[in-house]
Amino acid sequence: MASRKRSAARPQPAAVARATPPPAVAPAAPAGRTALRIFFALFVLYACNARMLAPGDSIPTRRLPFSLLREGNLNLDEFSWEMSPKGRLPYYVHPANGHVYSVSTFATAVVIAPLYVLPAWWLARAGVPYDDVRARVVEVVMEHVSAAMLAALSAALLFLLLARLTTRGWALALTLLYALGTSTWSIASQALWPHALSELTLVGLCLGLLARTPTRAQLVGAGLIAALMVANRPQMLAFAALATGFVAVHHRRHLLAFVALPTLLGVGLAAYNRAIFASLTGGYGGLGVLRGAPGQGLAGMLFSPNRGLLVYTPIMAFALWGGVRLWRVAGVPPWLRWLSVGVLAHVLVHASFRAWWGGYTYGPRYFTDVLPALTIFLVYGLVPYCRQRAVFALAVALAMWGIGVQAIGVYAADDSWNRTPQTLGRSLQRLWDWNDLQIARAARDGFRGGELAAVMLDAFTDSQAARLVPLEPTDLASTIDVPDLPETVPAGSRMRLTARIVNGGAQAWPAFNGEGVISARNLVYLMVRWFDGERMVDGDVLPLPENLAPGEALDMALPLAAPKQPGIYTLEVRVTQALDGRRGVIGPDALRREIRIE
């Protein structure tokens, strides 16, 4: 009996074993295919937000590709620029040799120029001038598309890089964290600041230098990427210098191949900067910006409630630890240690800036350039510890916080926190005000995603094009009615009524100029004023929600705040056009009603 049991337990013959198929296991998708899916998904997400988040800094970059394709030059002479009352150009452009140039570098514009071929051809074919609202809409749309594409591409390539360092699952998770839980979403993907290209070039440089035995061609490509990185954003020079040192130490026989073309390009760029800006560093102003207090700047960049990395993206605390830990563990690719030195240098340089807080923006702008490196450091500072449930749960909570904060920045935040109750440049203590958080105020402002969709659509469907030019008072002739306007209202009360406006002039009224809060130049508004006799006691101007062609009617929201003191007041509503910050054109027609305030 026992013998038969032992016989039954013997292994099957080899022929039988070979005939038994192994359990079916779905093959993992190739990393390249996954990266492609990441790119398209993120591109759609980044580009679908019909808002304009950037200040004036990005205006020259969004226009320069048109100049490159249509004029064949790097100047911006063909575009109109609003002059200050003293006759000065805005801060983001620079006059030189009788021409106008972008203060920001031109590298991003050159890289994205191929995307502009069809829009530039259409503007030329349709005869649309640059001061037409349709042209301004095309500018903003192309800026959004270009920034979204650069940011999405950086995330896709980062996934391929992370897949070399950790498991496919962690590579995907960290990539999504980088794409959605950091300023990559709220800053790099939304406007043509140079940060998107900085991220992309840093990822490309790392891909080239992480190979154990890179070919000469790979190092030539890495050298060109390093040159593009510096040409785009001179503050990234530390990474290019460290990459050169790394190649000299680890791949010395390819050093000349690595530096030859970047050296030639650097000489050309220096000559351009010298000719246009009389400075080798171009429009960035040289070392004069390094006049801040590094200790204060570093504390602010990390912990400020309204600019700190660890407030807006707290999971990056693990990345900072990872940058330290990779020096202690074996098997780390040598380039990553050099990379950590570059991140440290980058942070210390920006901490020494007088404006370490990054200007009128949302969150830690100056960390955006190095977010790919910080995400790589999470492989060493976060992933090994996530075997512990408590750490994993904490990481998930911090990641979700970061994603929520970035979503608020993308869909809710505008520039109001930077300018009220005081402009940030005149009240830097607001950066440390825990009672007035930029994140919280933006969340209270509510959802603004798609706020430009109506004016963008209207620009191409109106029967008459709207030109951004000064109008005559007769062009602002109008019929205005507020049917639900009460005769008596409580003092200090707030009402939300509806105004119906008919364009009675011969010109279309423009409602969009693509310059955001930087300039209201040539836009038409509804002006609301309260008068006590002949004395104006309060007033406001309300932007039109869309262009208004001659003869067209528009119903728009009319929020009213009644005077705080009782009495009989006259409410006046009329159409006006802003010419600059101090002058305007007032339409000849007005709605005037006496209202009792009780």
Side-chain angles (χ1 to χ4, degrees):
M1 182 73 67
S3 173
R4 284 196 295 271
K5 287 183 179 180
R6 283 194 299 271
S7 176
R10 290 175 184 170
Q12 294 180 343
V16 177
R18 283 195 299 270
T20 306
V25 177
R33 188 182 303 172
T34 303
L36 198 60
R37 292 170 178 169
I38 289 171
F39 169 77
F40 282 112
L42 291 176
F43 172 71
V44 171
L45 175 65
Y46 290 159
C48 71
N49 182 30
R51 297 189 67 204
M52 190 172 59
L53 301 181
D57 305 50
S58 70
I59 292 177
T61 305
R62 81 165 75 126
R63 291 179 172 176
L64 189 53
F66 290 110
S67 187
L68 286 167
L69 294 171
R70 298 182 65 180
E71 308 291 331
N73 57 50
L74 291 172
N75 67 57
L76 297 165
D77 298 348
E78 62 269 35
F79 298 94
S80 62
W81 302 99
E82 181 179 10
M83 309 294 286
S84 72
K86 295 183 179 180
R88 296 174 181 171
L89 287 167
Y91 69 91
Y92 42 80
V93 290
H94 174 76
N97 306 321
H99 301 288
V100 177
Y101 294 89
S102 171
V103 169
S104 183
T105 58
F106 57 78
T108 294
V110 172
V111 169
I112 64 174
L115 301 176
Y116 280 62
V117 170
L118 286 179
W121 172 84
W122 179 80
L123 290 180
R125 179 69 179 270
V128 178
Y130 288 123
D131 62 3
D132 189 307
V133 172
R134 292 174 295 174
R136 300 299 178 90
V137 169
V138 170
E139 286 180 11
V140 171
V141 169
M142 288 309 302
E143 174 178 24
H144 218 55
V145 167
S146 303
M149 187 166 290
L150 291 175
L153 184 57
S154 75
L157 294 180
L158 181 62
F159 169 77
L160 295 177
L161 189 155
L162 291 170
R164 298 182 185 181
L165 303 175
T166 186
T167 65
R168 187 74 63 84
W170 270 113
L172 179 59
L174 295 179
T175 299
L176 294 178
L177 174 64
Y178 161 81
L180 303 178
T182 71
S183 296
T184 298
W185 189 10
S186 63
I187 291 179
S189 77
Q190 298 297 300
L192 284 175
W193 271 328
H195 304 299
L197 187 57
S198 288
E199 291 183 322
L200 180 58
T201 51
L202 185 57
V203 174
L205 182 65
C206 291
L207 278 170
L209 298 182
L210 275 178
R212 187 177 298 276
T213 55
T215 65
R216 181 183 295 270
Q218 286 176 318
L219 289 177
V220 169
L224 286 173
I225 290 173
L228 178 60
M229 175 190 296
V230 178
N232 173 65
R233 191 154 169 77
Q235 294 93 319
M236 301 292 281
L237 178 63
F239 293 99
L242 286 166
T244 304
F246 174 79
V247 173
V249 171
H250 293 276
H251 311 289
R252 183 172 301 175
R253 65 192 182 95
H254 296 315
L255 178 60
L256 182 60
F258 180 82
V259 302
L261 290 178
T263 300
L264 293 176
L265 294 175
V267 171
L269 179 62
Y272 170 84
N273 287 338
R274 186 70 179 174
I276 303 303
F277 301 101
S279 168
L280 294 178
T281 56
Y284 282 89
L287 298 178
V289 296
L290 300 177
R291 295 179 180 175
Q296 179 183 356
L298 181 60
M301 290 177 67
L302 291 173
F303 304 111
S304 161
N306 292 304
R307 286 295 186 270
L309 174 72
L310 300 183
V311 174
Y312 284 76
T313 314
I315 199 169
M316 286 304 173
F318 289 99
L320 300 180
W321 168 240
V324 174
R325 187 173 179 270
L326 59 79
W327 287 85
R328 302 179 178 183
V329 297
V332 174
W335 165 245
L336 295 187
R337 289 171 177 161
W338 293 71
L339 181 65
S340 68
V341 175
V343 172
L344 178 62
H346 180 88
V347 173
L348 291 179
V349 165
H350 286 85
S352 301
F353 279 18
R354 288 172 294 179
W356 57 263
W357 37 281
Y360 290 43
T361 182
Y362 178 84
R365 175 187 166 196
Y366 286 149
F367 268 107
T368 308
D369 304 307
V370 296
L371 286 172
L374 294 178
T375 306
I376 293 169
F377 297 162
L378 288 173
V379 172
Y380 303 94
L382 174 64
V383 173
Y385 299 98
C386 279
R387 298 186 184 93
Q388 305 173 35
R389 292 185 177 180
V391 175
F392 182 78
L394 175 62
V396 170
L398 295 180
M400 296 306 296
W401 167 266
I403 293 172
V405 167
Q406 299 308 315
I408 290 172
V410 171
Y411 294 116
D414 58 14
D415 203 39
S416 62
W417 184 89
N418 292 307
R419 301 178 186 277
T420 56
Q422 288 180 296
T423 57
L424 194 53
R426 298 181 179 180
S427 182
L428 293 182
Q429 65 270 19
R430 295 182 55 224
L431 293 166
W432 293 95
D433 188 354
W434 288 92
N435 295 317
D436 184 20
L437 298 178
Q438 184 181 25
I439 298 170
R441 198 198 292 185
R444 289 195 299 268
D445 286 345
F447 180 78
R448 295 171 179 264
E451 62 185 356
L452 294 180
V455 72
M456 288 179 172
L457 178 63
D458 179 71
F460 294 95
T461 57
D462 260 347
S463 57
Q464 183 173 336
R467 297 286 300 278
L468 289 157
V469 295
L471 301 176
E472 297 295 329
T474 54
D475 295 326
L476 299 177
S478 62
T479 302
I480 304 173
D481 187 25
V482 184
D484 49 354
L485 184 64
E487 296 181 356
T488 303
V489 298
S493 63
R494 294 183 176 273
M495 301 167 283
R496 188 172 181 84
L497 308 176
T498 299
R500 184 172 183 82
I501 308 104
V502 179
N503 183 347
Q507 300 293 326
W509 298 344
F512 179 78
N513 65 5
E515 298 176 5
V517 298
I518 296 297
S519 170
R521 181 171 49 131
N522 295 326
L523 296 181
V524 174
Y525 290 84
L526 195 64
M527 182 168 62
V528 181
R529 296 187 290 184
W530 291 94
F531 288 90
D532 182 3
E534 297 297 323
R535 182 175 64 93
M536 190 184 79
V537 296
D538 198 6
D540 197 5
V541 289
L542 307 173
L544 300 182
E546 58 188 61
N547 299 336
L548 198 60
E552 283 188 343
L554 171 70
D555 292 326
M556 63 176 287
L558 180 67
L560 288 180
K564 297 180 180 180
Q565 299 297 324
I568 297 178
Y569 295 82
T570 299
L571 174 68
E572 179 186 273
V573 184
R574 67 169 71 229
V575 175
T576 183
Q577 182 189 35
L579 297 182
D580 55 36
R582 306 174 67 178
R583 298 180 302 120
V585 179
I586 298 179
D589 307 309
L591 168 70
R592 295 177 64 90
R593 296 276 183 85
E594 284 193 351
I595 298 180
R596 181 181 299 277
I597 305 299
E598 297 181 342

